[in-house]
Amino acid sequence: MIDRLHADDTPAVVVLGFRPENPGAYGRVIANAAGRMDRIVEYKDASEAERAVTLCNSGLMAVRSTDLFALLNRLGNDNAAGEYYLTDIVELAAAAGRSSAVIETGADEVAGVNSRGELASVEGAWQATRRAQVMADGVTLIAPDTVWFSHDTVLGRDVVIEPNVVFGPGARIADGATIHAFSHVEGASVGKGANVGPFARLRPGADLHADAKVGNFVEIKKAIIGEGAKVSHLTYIGDADIGAGANIGAGTITCNYDGYFKYRTVIGEGAFIGSNSALVAPVTIGAGAIVAAGSVVTQDVEADALALVRPPQIARPGWARRFRDGMIARKAAQASGK
């Protein structure tokens, strides 16, 4: 519209028009095939021939300020509603020997949103268009209607997206990655060939390198997951650097927040973190180190070392049977009133 306003023929007014499926009570734009506009007629003032016109006024206009205020000063309200129509400036300009022009756009670009229902309808239409486009660009959507994109979602070729995946703002997915069902990705980068989900949540700052894996019920926030590293299930990784090829066991958490400040956890390449471990940041696990299952790590672990942080296991033969027998006898005594 701005470009058209500054074209060589210098139109006084440029209007954005559209052709809805049902023109209804929209004002009609009366223009020739070249887009030169004679007038805009409100529906209630239009003749039958004018109401048959399908080009409608979106309500968007471009006018130079030097033209606008002079035209507004000449507006009157001699119409069926007794109202002052801004659109009358087109006819006023024509009376002064100035032409006006119309630019057409798709109806979806200027759809009115006056309720939550209409907002949902417009969102649904946009999502349908976006899904069709990403599939045309080489992305596989297993159940297209269940996948929701943000306005800035970036997807590489040969990406596979399973059902019920939601992309929030700032998601970037590289070639060949797979996003499994019921995952949520926002402000995150997923590298080439990486594997996410199902039921994974990638929060802002999550950066998965090539061939990394983030599995079931895993949450990643502001963390780098190195090439080929695995965070497979039931784990929280926040404010961390995970080295290439590292393996993070189920139930592991990085304890990154003390109620006041955030701290970072660093895990070296090829390290192995056993299941149900808590890494209390700030802490560094060296390359190739092993943290035994059930450990609470509060100090750095050097490369290739074993960290075992748990009390020794004690077995007392027969204790459980004696305990049960004693409890049964006590319960029986209470029942008999003794």
Side-chain angles (χ1 to χ4, degrees), residues 2 14 17 24 37 71 124 137 142 149 156 171 190-191 228 232 237-238 282 302 304 326 330:
I2 297 298
V14 176
M37 186 169 50
L71 292 169
D137 291 340
I142 303 301
F149 295 105
V190 177
S232 293
I237 301 294
E302 66 182 43
D304 295 318
R330 181 178 174 183

Side-chain angles (χ1 to χ4, degrees), residues 99-184:
S99 65
S100 296
V102 60
I103 297 291
E104 289 195 43
T105 189
D108 60 320
E109 287 291 327
V110 291
V113 176
N114 301 296
S115 67
R116 288 176 174 84
E118 289 178 352
L119 178 61
S121 178
V122 169
E123 175 71 20
W126 185 89
Q127 291 290 342
T129 300
R130 186 76 170 95
R131 293 167 191 140
Q133 185 60 56
V134 301
M135 288 188 286
D137 291 340
V139 173
T140 297
L141 303 182
I142 303 301
D145 289 349
T146 69
V147 178
W148 288 78
F149 295 105
S150 186
H151 69 283
D152 60 352
T153 304
V154 177
L155 301 169
R157 292 191 63 83
D158 298 318
V159 169
V160 176
I161 302 173
E162 292 185 355
N164 298 293
V165 171
V166 175
F167 294 98
R172 302 178 63 88
I173 314 299
D175 295 353
T178 298
I179 312 297
H180 293 285
F182 294 97
S183 294
H184 188 284

Side-chain angles (χ1 to χ4, degrees), residues 292-298 307-311:
S295 293
V296 178
V297 179
T298 58
L308 180 62
V309 191
R310 61 188 182 207

Side-chain angles (χ1 to χ4, degrees), residues 9-293:
D9 61 343
T10 60
V13 181
V14 176
V15 169
L16 188 64
F18 70 111
R19 299 182 188 271
E21 290 185 13
N22 178 17
Y26 284 111
R28 302 303 202 265
V29 176
I30 310 303
N32 63 22
R36 184 184 176 107
M37 186 169 50
D38 294 328
R39 63 192 182 281
I40 298 175
V41 185
E42 293 299 313
Y43 181 82
K44 63 187 71 173
D45 297 307
S47 66
E48 287 302 315
E50 289 168 335
R51 290 179 179 182
V53 172
T54 59
L55 184 58
C56 297
N57 174 30
S58 71
L60 296 173
M61 307 174 77
V63 192
R64 293 178 186 82
S65 59
T66 51
D67 291 324
L68 176 62
F69 296 106
L71 292 169
L72 290 177
N73 284 334
R74 296 164 55 196
L75 273 182
N77 64 344
D78 184 15
N79 52 61
E83 296 176 345
Y84 291 90
Y85 294 149
L86 177 60
T87 51
D88 283 351
I89 65 174
V90 173
E91 286 188 82
L92 293 173
R98 298 287 303 282
S99 65
S100 296
V102 60
I103 297 291
E104 289 195 43
T105 189
D108 60 320
E109 287 291 327
V110 291
V113 176
N114 301 296
S115 67
R116 288 176 174 84
E118 289 178 352
L119 178 61
S121 178
V122 169
E123 175 71 20
W126 185 89
Q127 291 290 342
T129 300
R130 186 76 170 95
R131 293 167 191 140
Q133 185 60 56
V134 301
M135 288 188 286
D137 291 340
V139 173
T140 297
L141 303 182
I142 303 301
D145 289 349
T146 69
V147 178
W148 288 78
F149 295 105
S150 186
H151 69 283
D152 60 352
T153 304
V154 177
L155 301 169
R157 292 191 63 83
D158 298 318
V159 169
V160 176
I161 302 173
E162 292 185 355
N164 298 293
V165 171
V166 175
F167 294 98
R172 302 178 63 88
I173 314 299
D175 295 353
T178 298
I179 312 297
H180 293 285
F182 294 97
S183 294
H184 188 284
V185 181
E186 179 175 352
S189 176
V190 177
K192 186 175 182 179
N195 213 293
V196 176
F199 295 97
R201 184 182 181 196
L202 303 186
R203 291 171 55 195
D207 182 4
L208 277 59
H209 290 191
D211 299 317
K213 177 178 173 55
V214 169
N216 308 282
F217 304 103
V218 171
E219 180 178 352
I220 307 290
K221 191 252 352 177
K222 203 175 180 180
I224 296 171
I225 309 299
E227 183 173 351
K230 297 179 181 180
V231 188
S232 293
H233 24 241
L234 300 164
T235 293
Y236 171 71
I237 301 294
D239 298 283
D241 295 281
I242 311 298
N247 191 317
I248 312 300
T252 296
I253 59 172
T254 56
C255 307
N256 58 326
Y257 184 50
D258 64 2
Y260 298 94
F261 300 101
K262 299 289 182 68
Y263 304 93
R264 203 153 188 89
T265 297
V266 178
I267 298 174
E269 295 185 3
F272 182 93
I273 310 300
S275 297
N276 202 36
S277 292
L279 310 179
V280 183
V283 69
T284 296
I285 310 299
I290 295 176
V291 173

